[in-house]
Amino acid sequence: MFKILIMKRINNVYDKIVSFDNLLNAYNKCLKGKREKEQILKFRFNYEYHLKHIQSLLKNNKYAHNKYFFFWKLDSKKRRIASASFKDKIVHYAIHLVIEPMIDKRFICDSYACRREKGTFKAIKKLQRVLFFNKDKNMYCLQCDIKKYFKSIDHNVLKKILNKHIKDKRLLKLLNIIIDSYNFKIKKGIPLGNLTSQLFANMYLNELDQYVKHCLGCQYYLRYMDDFVILGDKCFLKKINVLINDFLKNHLLLEIPFKKNQIFKINKEIVFLGFVVKGEYLKIKRRSRREMLKRCKKNKDKKTKSSYIGYINFSKNFLLKYEILKALC
C-alpha cells in the first residue's frame, strides 16, 4: 500500500455517532423532501421508539444492513441507483455527520466533488482561472476519466484505506458492514445512492490526489470525482500519464479507457463537467443544452427551473435562459 503523510487516525467517535441526539439529527436530515412516503410515515408515527431501537442495535453490535431497492435513473447516462431502507439511511447520515468534517480536512484543496464549499462551479472557475493566466504559455492538458468508477471500487482496498484514517474499531466494523452490504460475493463496487458512498469514493481517490500532488509534483491538478485534468509541459504530462495509469492499476485496481485519456494543447477548449471551458469564456456544451431543454419540457417544477437557471447564469448563456424559461411557462 502506497504511503502518504496523514493526520492522526480518527478514534473514540463511535459513542458520538450512536448517541440519540446525533441519530435524531440524522433522522431529521433524512426526512427532507421524503415525508409522504409510506415507509417514512410509519417510522414518523413512533420515531422515538424506532431511533432508540436503532441505537440499541448499534450499541450492542447487532446492527445488520437491509437489502437495497434498485431503480434506474436517466440523466446524461442510464444509472442503476441503490436505495437503502430508511433505517439504514439514518445510520449512514449519523456516521457522515460525525466523521465527514474530520475526513474532509485530509483532502487536497483541488478535489471538488461532494464537499462543502466546493462543487462543479468552483472546479470550473478554478480551471478557467488557470487557463486564463497560462494562455500565452506552451502548456498542454492531460484529461482522464476513470472507467466505471463506483462499480470498480475494490472492497479490500477500500477497507485498507479506511484503516489508514480510522482507528476506532467499532466504527470500522460498522463501515465494513455497510461496504459488505453491496456486491458481497464479488467484493467490488459501492452503491450509487448511499451518502457514505460519496465519502468512500473521495477517500479512495484521495490516494491518487496525494500521489499526483506530493509525489509527481503536479501544480495544476483538478479532480471532480472520477474526472480529472492536469496542466503542464507536454513531455512531463506524457511521463506522468504512464505513472498515473500504473498507480491506478496496481494500487487502486482501477483503469482509464484509452478514449478517456487525452493530451492536447490548451489553446483548444476543454470540455469539463458539462461546460466548454476557455480562459476568456464558458459555454454549456451542446448535448447538455439539449438535455436541459428536453427535461424542462417534461418537468416544470421550481427546483428544476432554479437548478438550470443557476447553470445558465454561471455560463452567461442568456439565449438558453430564454428558451428554458419559455419551456417552463
Side-chain angles (χ1 to χ4, degrees), residues 90-282:
I90 292 169
V91 175
H92 298 170
Y93 228 120
I95 294 166
H96 196 267
L97 284 169
V98 174
I99 71 167
E100 187 271 338
M102 300 176 188
I103 296 292
D104 190 76
K105 291 175 185 176
R106 297 155 192 260
F107 297 153
I108 64 165
C109 180
D110 287 317
S111 166
Y112 289 92
C114 308
R115 295 178 65 193
R116 276 179 274 186
E117 307 298 322
K118 298 288 181 181
T120 305
F121 295 166
K122 288 277 177 76
I124 294 295
K125 274 294 181 190
K126 175 65 183 285
L127 179 59
Q128 189 180 29
R129 202 158 55 244
V130 172
L131 291 174
F132 181 78
F133 287 111
N134 292 281
K135 61 184 175 182
D136 298 326
K137 296 179 184 176
N138 188 32
M139 287 184 81
Y140 283 74
C141 175
L142 167 62
Q143 186 169 16
C144 301
D145 183 355
I146 293 164
K147 183 181 179 181
K148 296 178 180 177
Y149 177 48
F150 274 69
K151 284 184 180 179
S152 303
I153 289 175
D154 185 88
H155 288 192
N156 292 327
V157 174
L158 177 58
K159 288 173 184 178
K160 284 178 184 176
I161 290 168
L162 289 172
N163 268 282
K164 285 169 66 175
H165 294 276
I166 298 166
K167 192 176 179 181
D168 192 316
K169 288 182 179 178
R170 290 187 296 169
L171 173 56
L172 284 170
K173 187 179 178 182
L174 178 57
L175 293 174
N176 287 345
I177 289 169
I178 294 168
I179 293 166
D180 292 336
S181 69
Y182 186 80
N183 287 353
F184 177 69
K185 288 182 180 178
I186 61 170
K187 295 188 181 297
K188 218 169 185 65
I190 56 174
L192 282 168
N194 275 10
L195 183 62
T196 47
S197 292
Q198 297 173 8
L199 189 60
F200 291 158
N202 266 336
M203 290 179 77
Y204 204 85
L205 277 185
N206 179 56
E207 298 286 298
L208 175 67
D209 297 342
Q210 302 294 340
Y211 177 68
V212 169
K213 291 294 282 185
H214 302 301
C215 293
L216 300 182
C218 297
Q219 184 181 359
Y220 301 123
Y221 166 78
L222 291 90
R223 181 176 66 81
Y224 189 96
M225 200 50 77
D226 55 347
D227 296 328
F228 63 90
V229 294
I230 305 173
L231 303 178
D233 174 75
K234 188 178 182 180
C235 292
F236 174 69
L237 293 181
K238 281 186 174 180
K239 182 184 173 183
I240 65 163
N241 191 22
V242 175
L243 295 171
I244 286 168
N245 275 277
D246 286 345
F247 180 84
L248 288 169
K249 186 179 178 181
N250 299 321
H251 178 64
L252 297 175
L253 308 182
L254 299 171
E255 63 177 290
I256 301 169
F258 179 74
K259 288 182 180 178
K260 299 290 181 77
N261 193 330
Q262 306 170 55
I263 295 176
F264 52 88
K265 202 163 185 179
I266 65 165
N267 58 6
K268 293 182 181 179
E269 297 165 329
I270 298 177
V271 180
F272 189 55
L273 306 180
F275 286 89
V276 178
V277 188
K278 194 104 164 114
E280 298 80 12
Y281 63 82
L282 282 173

Side-chain angles (χ1 to χ4, degrees), residues 4 20 33 154 173 266 288 314:
I4 54 171
F20 186 81
D154 185 88
K173 187 179 178 182
I266 65 165
S288 300
F314 181 69

